[in-house]
Amino acid sequence: MPFHKSARLAALLLAAVFLPLTCSGCSLPFQKQDGDGSGYLFTTSLPSNPKSLDPQSATDASSKTIIENLYEGLMELDETGTPQPAAAESYTISPDGCTYTFVLHNDRYWFFDENQNDEIDDGEKWAVTAADYVYAFQRIFNPETQSPYTDAFSCLKNAQAIQSGQADYTTIGVQAISSTQLQFTLDHPNTRFLSLLATTAAMPCSQNFFEQTKGRYGLDQDSVASCGAFYMRLWFYDPYGKDNLIYMRRNAANTPARSVSPTNLTFQIRNTQQAAADDFAAGNADVLVTPIQQTQYTDSENYTTTAERATTLGLIFNPDFAAFHNANIRKGLSMGINRFAIGKNSNDDLKGAFSIIPPAVQYNGSTYREQVPEAEAAYDPNAALTTFQTGMQELHMESLDSTKILVCSALMDCDNLHDIIQTWQEVFGFYIGIDEVTEDEYWQRLASKNYSIAVYGITGSANDPAAVLEQFASDTNTFYYENASVDTQIQALGDCSSSAQLLTQCSQLEQTILSDYWFLPIFYKNQYCITSTKNADIAYDAFSGALNFRNAKHFE
């Protein structure tokens, strides 16, 4: 496979000149086939430039959206959150649950349009093989990659030894039996393993192509090859410019094996969530993904809105504030929240939360909350006051006056916090204010611990109960929570050999965290995906934030 960067650069400059004239706007169909909704050019806006299109490294929603459309992995999740084969034709699991053997489809290909003529020329197409998956997992465990996904796949054979420096990353338990047979060997059974293989981290990586990018893999359009529904035609980003976009075309190398409805995708790159929302309002984008309820769309028959309670909003405390190190103060504040009454004026955007795992999380074919109902503790203002006063007496303090709740305006409508503040004033006799800030300031204030109490959103990196609870791990969370017992229980989630065992351990871990009162659940929050009723079958993952357009259709 040749790779000539000078030719690619010239093509980039030409594309940057001409593509905005032909691709802007979301109302321009391209080779539309009447009746079946295919052949449309979809346009949407990303709230930020993708940080990396390297599946083994990428974590942000903008990156994952592009990766979902650029690659195809062994497995994917269906609408119930159940793993289904994608690039895999079939798989078997050994009786002990420690060996997974996959047979790959033999009609999946990599494509890199080197000369940018939108045709498959000699050397631009090559087969996806089992070795590409082996190399991807070796990269996850290669220290040079600094992948954030080593813990997720720590169930693989030799993973622990590699992480401790006692074994080489090439010994990870993944091997190619043949070009179309792939085998994973686990140190212990993990009932989540198939779901993990449906994440972007488990996408394949072509070693030959990777090495030719010379350290630029996933960082520019010359350094990404497609094995999925679409291929990269242009990635143009100037932090000081405004015509930033990613342009993708249907991957003809793979459409004979698995159909793709749209012909083109245009992703306008913006710098804020509000700018992306403005594009949609102006009719310049087909899809809007937002955490903020948009009644002008949700109340209109011209739009289709998917709303999923995928985030739990809770109160977190500054660990440097002595008052909040007292468990009775934190517990008293929690008991003083009437979760049955809050959120009723939010037009169903918010619902009072008693637990951590939000209602949208699915597991084993149904929602987690159907299998593990949350314990709805009764609101008890007298007990709340007694508990709170005990804590204050232990610290020889009189009140928490002048305390404010830090909240990001892009996270929720802050007016809904007034129900909590008013109840606290009635129960405890003090008033706590609201400090509403922009998203940038919010994260800066959290990082510098410039807050006393803050509203924080918890969601999983994937649609999985364990993925939600893993956000509380001491070495990865960004809100300074530390609990050795919680860390041990999180680690044990990777050792579950059955669905029943995972549900039991998730339930126990959830209760451990709740009983610590460092995170006080207050609301289950909707995440929204909005599109015109003319569009259909745009897949949205409310947890990763990714959009997948493989089956997306448009009807006039």
Side-chain angles (χ1 to χ4, degrees):
M1 180 196 63
F3 182 78
H4 303 296
K5 195 170 184 70
S6 59
R8 295 284 285 172
L9 181 57
L12 167 62
L13 294 176
L14 287 173
V17 172
F18 291 110
L19 278 177
L21 299 177
T22 59
C23 303
S24 61
C26 63
S27 59
L28 298 177
F30 185 85
Q31 299 176 357
K32 187 177 187 301
Q33 301 169 19
D34 292 333
D36 65 2
S38 66
Y40 186 66
L41 187 158
F42 278 91
T43 300
T44 192
S45 295
L46 302 174
S48 63
N49 186 46
K51 295 180 180 178
S52 170
L53 299 185
D54 176 354
Q56 281 73 61
S57 298
T59 58
D60 61 291
S62 293
S63 297
K64 289 189 175 185
T65 286
I66 304 302
I67 289 170
E68 282 281 349
N69 293 283
L70 192 65
Y71 294 83
E72 181 187 43
L74 292 169
M75 306 293 290
E76 62 189 14
L77 300 183
D78 64 17
E79 293 181 352
T80 69
T82 303
Q84 302 291 345
E89 181 178 284
S90 62
Y91 64 90
T92 57
I93 307 174
S94 63
D96 65 359
C98 289
T99 304
Y100 289 70
T101 304
F102 289 84
V103 176
L104 277 60
H105 285 290
N106 63 3
D107 52 7
R108 300 300 203 268
Y109 297 94
W110 292 99
F111 175 54
F112 178 70
D113 189 21
E114 182 179 0
N115 57 18
Q116 293 222 343
N117 67 351
D118 298 315
E119 296 180 4
I120 303 174
D121 299 314
D122 291 344
E124 293 183 341
K125 169 185 169 182
W126 64 101
V128 176
T129 68
D132 297 327
Y133 289 93
V134 174
Y135 189 63
F137 278 87
Q138 288 180 352
R139 289 193 62 241
I140 289 176
F141 286 91
N142 184 342
E144 292 184 2
T145 307
Q146 298 184 344
S147 173
Y149 299 108
T150 52
D151 286 344
F153 291 100
S154 61
C155 58
L156 287 169
K157 183 179 179 180
N158 294 331
Q160 301 291 340
I162 294 170
Q163 290 176 280
S164 64
Q166 298 176 346
D168 188 78
Y169 68 90
T170 58
T171 65
I172 194 65
V174 188
Q175 62 175 328
I177 300 174
S178 69
S179 62
T180 58
Q181 281 191 291
L182 176 70
Q183 191 168 86
F184 294 88
T185 305
L186 279 58
D187 269 333
H188 48 77
N190 184 342
T191 189
R192 300 171 60 205
F193 189 64
L194 289 176
S195 293
L196 290 170
L197 292 180
T199 63
T200 55
M203 300 292 188
C205 180
S206 171
Q207 182 174 0
N208 185 39
F209 183 85
F210 173 85
E211 290 174 348
Q212 291 185 67
T213 64
K214 300 184 184 302
R216 295 291 300 169
Y217 186 65
L219 298 180
D220 55 51
Q221 73 168 43
D222 291 331
S223 305
V224 288
S226 166
C227 65
F230 302 90
Y231 69 92
M232 180 74 72
R233 183 66 172 81
L234 170 68
W235 182 3
F236 179 79
Y237 181 73
D238 176 358
Y240 303 104
K242 61 180 181 179
D243 295 323
N244 299 316
L245 60 83
I246 288 175
Y247 179 50
M248 304 175 74
R249 297 186 65 129
R250 184 161 57 192
N251 188 351
N254 288 323
T255 49
R258 189 176 181 190
S259 65
V260 178
S261 293
T263 52
N264 304 60
L265 302 178
T266 298
F267 296 93
Q268 302 166 136
I269 303 172
R270 305 307 186 211
N271 293 323
T272 65
Q273 177 65 48
Q274 184 58 52
D278 291 343
D279 283 338
F280 187 77
N284 295 325
D286 284 299
V287 191
L288 173 62
V289 171
T290 175
I292 302 299
Q293 188 180 51
Q294 309 280 337
T295 55
Q296 69 270 37
Y297 307 127
T298 57
D299 296 342
S300 171
E301 62 182 13
N302 296 321
Y303 296 92
T304 300
T305 299
T306 299
E308 296 193 53
R309 297 195 193 280
T311 300
T312 301
L313 300 180
L315 298 177
I316 60 172
F317 302 95
N318 190 326
D320 290 346
F321 279 45
F324 300 128
H325 277 276
N326 186 284
N328 282 319
I329 289 178
R330 302 193 307 272
K331 181 178 180 180
L333 291 174
S334 180
M335 296 170 67
I337 300 173
N338 187 356
R339 293 174 174 84
F340 291 106
I342 60 176
K344 291 186 176 180
N345 297 320
S346 69
N347 197 25
D348 202 41
D349 180 46
L350 302 170
K351 178 185 177 183
F354 292 85
S355 295
I356 297 168
I357 299 174
V361 171
Q362 296 175 311
Y363 182 70
N364 202 28
S366 63
T367 69
Y368 175 80
R369 283 294 160 217
E370 289 175 327
Q371 301 170 78
V372 183
E374 61 180 343
E376 296 186 348
Y379 167 58
D380 190 340
N382 292 327
L385 178 60
T386 298
T387 303
F388 178 82
Q389 288 178 334
T390 298
M392 298 295 283
Q393 291 168 3
E394 290 170 348
L395 295 177
H396 307 290
M397 295 179 60
E398 295 184 0
S399 76
L400 291 178
D401 283 339
S402 300
T403 298
K404 289 185 176 182
I405 299 176
L406 178 69
V407 59
C408 173
S409 57
L411 186 64
M412 64 173 290
D413 184 344
C414 299
D415 288 345
N416 289 287
L417 287 175
H418 288 293
D419 289 339
I420 297 173
I421 290 172
Q422 182 177 349
T423 303
W424 277 356
Q425 188 173 14
E426 294 170 354
V427 173
F428 304 115
F430 59 73
Y431 177 80
I432 290 181
I434 297 175
D435 193 1
E436 183 177 356
V437 299
T438 65
E439 186 172 3
D440 286 344
E441 183 178 349
Y442 174 82
W443 290 110
Q444 290 171 4
R445 295 268 298 272
L446 282 188
S448 62
K449 298 184 183 178
N450 184 15
Y451 68 97
S452 51
I453 305 176
V455 176
Y456 192 91
I458 291 288
T459 191
S461 58
N463 189 352
D464 178 279
V468 177
L469 298 175
E470 285 169 351
Q471 305 306 307
F472 289 85
S474 299
D475 59 346
T476 58
N477 76 73
T478 58
F479 50 99
Y480 309 106
Y481 178 70
E482 294 184 7
N483 186 316
S485 175
V486 167
D487 290 337
T488 299
Q489 290 181 66
I490 288 175
Q491 189 69 31
L493 294 178
D495 299 334
C496 295
S497 58
S498 68
S499 298
Q501 183 183 9
L502 180 70
L503 290 174
T504 297
Q505 293 192 193
C506 281
S507 177
Q508 293 172 347
L509 174 54
E510 192 172 27
Q511 290 306 310
T512 299
I513 297 171
L514 288 171
S515 64
D516 213 7
Y517 296 102
W518 271 107
F519 179 83
L520 310 184
I522 50 176
F523 295 117
Y524 295 129
K525 175 76 175 67
N526 275 333
Q527 302 295 314
Y528 300 92
C529 180
I530 306 168
T531 187
S532 164
T533 52
K534 295 180 180 180
N535 301 323
D537 299 330
I538 301 172
Y540 167 57
D541 184 341
F543 298 91
S544 69
L547 292 164
N548 190 313
F549 289 89
R550 173 186 289 275
N551 299 314
K553 301 173 182 64
H554 178 83
F555 301 92
E556 290 295 339

